[in-house]
Amino acid sequence: ENISKLNGFKLSNNLPFFNEFVIDAPVSAEKIILDAEANGILAGMDISKYVPGKKGLMIAVTEKRSKEELDNFVAFLSKYAN
């Protein structure tokens, strides 16, 4: 929910989800993944590598992640907001 509040970010669809969802971002998923990795963050998967013609970042959120980790990830993504 907080990610979709960032300018330029949105959920790829309005379907219900449990742990995994895909976002559209103002920069490529590959850029986010590489920058996140350099900062010790596992950002998700670039779905364009698995679904031809589809772009987006698949993010998985589980009970293994604390609220602080999730807030830090949203703060990291905010640097790409328009």
Side-chain angles (χ1 to χ4, degrees), residues 5-45:
K5 292 179 183 175
L6 298 173
N7 286 333
F9 286 83
K10 67 176 187 160
L11 290 172
S12 286
N13 61 57
N14 292 325
L15 298 173
F17 61 87
F18 184 60
N19 287 339
E20 299 169 342
F21 56 96
V22 177
I23 61 165
D24 297 326
V27 298
S28 71
E30 181 179 21
K31 175 156 181 53
I32 292 172
I33 292 166
L34 291 174
D35 290 352
E37 186 177 315
N39 285 281
I41 299 170
L42 181 59
M45 291 178 21

Side-chain angles (χ1 to χ4, degrees), residues 25-64:
V27 298
S28 71
E30 181 179 21
K31 175 156 181 53
I32 292 172
I33 292 166
L34 291 174
D35 290 352
E37 186 177 315
N39 285 281
I41 299 170
L42 181 59
M45 291 178 21
D46 180 354
I47 65 166
S48 70
K49 295 182 178 184
Y50 305 98
V51 182
K54 180 75 174 153
K55 293 181 181 178
L57 178 67
M58 179 180 281
I59 300 171
V61 179
T62 70
E63 69 281 354
K64 292 183 178 184

